[in-house]
Amino acid sequence: MFSPRWKKVVGDLKGNPTRTLLVVLSIFIGVFAVGMILSSQAILTRELRDTYLATKPAHATVSTPGEDSFDDDLVNVIRGIREVEDAEARRSLSMRARLGPNQWQDVLLVAIPDYDDMRVNFIKPVRGAWPPDEHEVLIERSGLGTLQADMGDSITVELPDGTLRTLPITGVAHDLSRAPTLFTGIVVGFISFDTLEWLGESRDYNEVSILVAGDGTDQAYIQTVADEVYDKIRKSGRDPAFPVVPEPGQHPINFLIDGLVLIMGVLGVLSVFLSGFLVTNTISALLTQQTKYIGIMKSIGARLPQIVAMYLVLVMSFGLIALALAVPLSQLGARAFAGYIAGEFNFDLVNLSVPSNIYLIQAVVSLVVPVVAALIPVLGGSRISIREAISSQSGAGSFGTSLFDRVIQRIRAFPRPVLLSLRNTFRRKGRVALTLMTLTLGGAIFISVFSVQESLRL
């Protein structure tokens, strides 16, 4: 059998469903936000890294002007460098595609020697033809919306001499080694070398990407090897551009994901604070309603630790209910949000699992944070004397003793009901402060979420 004080806890949970729902929702906000944000962060960071590394991204790339293009002989020389594990050359061609009358879109056409035996920066087919046939083009999937076209349509490109060529879109490909069209404004297409020649270009290469044989995570070492490749190309009589050495293992848009993760982390912290303030306000109001009950319990022998423990267990019960609701819903929210971001950033989610420590963090937020938030009002409400608790005047506070209160009392220009509301508002200044902080945090989170959403759209 439960002792009377635990029966009261159960009665408080069941006796006022509206209040129970309010407190549970207050805790749920923080638990759900933390779970969704941390899970989304874990999924996005891991999946972008893993899917990017699976494409065997180049450690460095060296390009040459059009007149300094090169053939397979130079590529084989580069592959023969001891520090180079592998190398692959391609030819890129910048053109314009006509979208409509006086409407053009920048397009980068890339010709790859062998689509079925790529060595660096793997490109995978999504749908349609593979590899591209003569006079055809595969469009990188992130550029389809910009072109306002799909497989089966055609694009018309303009050659340097003004000639127009029409290329049917026979397939869609995915190139994770490049930033998506959303961020570059350039649509990428893939063609054959026969198509390249048909467009009036040489069949030679104008860029070579390498993989180093040593430590592929050491950017200084990679730069040294890239400089050696650069020198080889220069000694062949060409004038290459300086090597491009990206941060090892980092996708070109990884800094955007890092920024998004940072913003999400800040929103998670704000959500926890908001949840804590809501709990403090709600428990404070509950204790005010039960002031006489506390007086009665003390009059029949209840001690301060017993009363404090009773209310803290009540708060933990609210937290357990919130945890049971928030964990599954936060995982659904995380998967939906991660899927949306992955779509915008043009990468795929393969594994949607999350680290188990995220569930532990949610448990802490649902059980420990509410208890800490409720501790001050619970201690303050439980320390009230029997006389103050039972007296009908309890809760009147000490309004009128401070300078601010006296200023409020001198206001006479408003009707009496307005003046009464004004004085009652500031009768418990601590509660007013908590309410204002709660509203401020809620507004800050609201503005932050919509600001991030609009930033992604621009």
Side-chain angles (χ1 to χ4, degrees):
M1 294 292 295
F2 291 125
S3 63
R5 63 175 180 272
W6 304 130
K7 289 182 180 179
K8 181 183 182 304
V9 170
V10 176
D12 284 336
L13 285 171
K14 297 167 57 178
N16 193 330
T18 302
R19 182 183 62 211
T20 298
L21 178 63
L22 179 61
V23 182
V24 168
L25 285 177
S26 300
I27 301 172
F28 173 87
I29 290 172
V31 181
F32 174 83
V34 167
M36 192 193 81
I37 290 172
L38 291 180
S39 298
S40 300
Q41 289 176 352
I43 293 172
L44 290 172
T45 303
R46 181 191 64 233
E47 293 303 295
L48 178 58
R49 181 192 65 244
D50 292 349
T51 54
Y52 177 60
L53 292 177
T55 66
K56 213 168 184 180
H59 291 137
T61 300
V62 183
S63 58
T64 61
E67 63 274 10
D68 283 339
S69 55
F70 52 92
D71 56 17
D72 288 319
D73 291 338
L74 182 57
V75 177
N76 289 329
V77 170
I78 294 172
R79 288 174 181 163
I81 297 175
R82 186 181 60 181
E83 292 83 4
V84 173
E85 177 184 332
D86 211 340
E88 183 177 282
R90 299 177 181 180
R91 187 172 186 90
S92 299
L93 173 63
S94 296
M95 309 188 80
R96 296 196 307 169
R98 187 169 64 184
L99 301 182
N102 299 320
Q103 187 178 6
W104 298 87
Q105 169 63 44
D106 291 333
V107 173
L108 181 69
L109 297 180
V110 181
I112 300 174
D114 190 346
Y115 282 85
D116 294 322
D117 185 28
M118 286 179 279
R119 300 166 179 248
V120 182
N121 292 335
F122 295 168
I123 299 162
K124 67 177 184 180
V126 176
R127 52 191 170 95
W130 182 267
D133 206 347
E134 188 175 356
H135 302 175
E136 297 176 351
V137 64
L138 310 182
I139 297 298
E140 208 289 322
R141 69 183 189 184
S142 67
L144 288 173
T146 302
L147 284 178
Q148 301 175 9
D150 203 347
M151 198 174 68
D153 297 328
S154 299
I155 62 170
T156 301
V157 296
E158 183 185 41
L159 304 184
D161 61 4
T163 304
L164 299 179
R165 290 277 192 264
T166 299
L167 297 170
I169 302 173
T170 59
V172 179
H174 182 209
D175 183 5
L176 190 57
S177 66
R178 300 177 187 272
T181 301
L182 174 68
F183 301 104
T184 64
I186 300 174
V187 175
V188 178
F190 303 99
I191 59 176
S192 67
F193 272 82
D194 291 334
T195 304
L196 186 69
E197 194 171 27
W198 178 62
L199 294 175
E201 291 291 316
S202 166
R203 297 179 71 94
D204 289 336
Y205 311 117
N206 60 6
E207 65 179 48
V208 59
S209 298
I210 66 167
L211 297 173
V212 299
D215 186 359
T217 62
D218 186 344
Q219 191 165 12
Y221 170 72
I222 296 173
Q223 184 68 57
T224 301
V225 178
D227 290 340
E228 187 174 353
V229 172
Y230 171 81
D231 291 336
K232 282 284 186 185
I233 297 176
R234 280 186 60 87
K235 289 176 181 178
S236 70
R238 298 168 178 85
D239 186 21
F242 288 109
V244 175
V245 180
E247 186 175 353
Q250 299 296 322
H251 189 271
I253 59 170
N254 194 72
F255 72 98
L256 293 174
I257 292 289
D258 289 341
L260 183 62
V261 165
L262 176 62
I263 294 173
M264 291 168 59
V266 172
L267 289 177
V269 173
L270 289 177
S271 299
V272 172
F273 275 106
L274 175 63
S275 178
F277 284 127
L278 288 172
V279 170
T280 301
N281 272 342
T282 308
I283 297 301
S284 179
L286 171 64
L287 286 164
T288 300
Q289 294 173 0
Q290 297 192 359
T291 299
K292 289 188 177 180
Y293 297 164
I294 294 173
I296 293 172
M297 285 187 287
K298 283 191 170 185
S299 67
I300 59 176
R303 298 187 300 275
L304 176 63
Q306 293 175 318
I307 297 175
V308 170
M310 181 181 67
Y311 281 105
L312 292 184
V313 168
L314 176 63
V315 173
M316 291 186 69
S317 301
F318 291 139
L320 285 172
I321 299 172
L323 180 65
L325 295 174
V327 168
L329 292 179
S330 65
Q331 291 307 304
L332 290 176
R335 294 181 180 188
F337 180 75
Y340 167 75
I341 295 298
E344 292 292 313
F345 285 65
N346 195 33
F347 66 96
D348 297 319
L349 301 179
V350 179
N351 180 7
L352 294 177
S353 65
V354 299
S356 57
N357 64 333
I358 290 178
Y359 301 119
L360 177 60
I361 293 173
Q362 285 185 282
V364 171
V365 172
S366 66
L367 300 177
V368 177
V369 171
V371 168
V372 173
L375 198 56
I376 293 178
V378 166
L379 287 175
S382 301
R383 284 172 176 163
I384 191 170
S385 67
I386 297 176
R387 182 189 63 79
E388 290 174 329
I390 297 178
S391 171
S392 60
Q393 299 300 318
S394 65
S398 56
F399 185 83
T401 60
S402 68
L403 176 62
F404 180 81
D405 296 341
R406 291 194 293 271
V407 171
I408 294 294
Q409 287 178 322
R410 291 194 180 98
I411 298 176
R412 306 290 183 183
F414 299 105
R416 185 174 294 275
V418 175
L419 292 175
L420 183 62
S421 299
L422 185 63
R423 293 172 185 176
N424 283 335
T425 299
F426 293 100
R427 188 174 300 278
R428 293 183 177 273
K429 299 179 183 60
R431 186 181 299 175
V432 172
L434 284 173
T435 301
L436 289 176
M437 284 189 285
T438 302
L439 293 174
T440 301
L441 277 176
I445 293 173
F446 180 85
I447 294 172
S448 299
V449 169
F450 279 92
S451 296
V452 172
Q453 183 181 20
E454 289 302 316
S455 297
L456 288 175
R457 290 177 178 175
L458 293 178

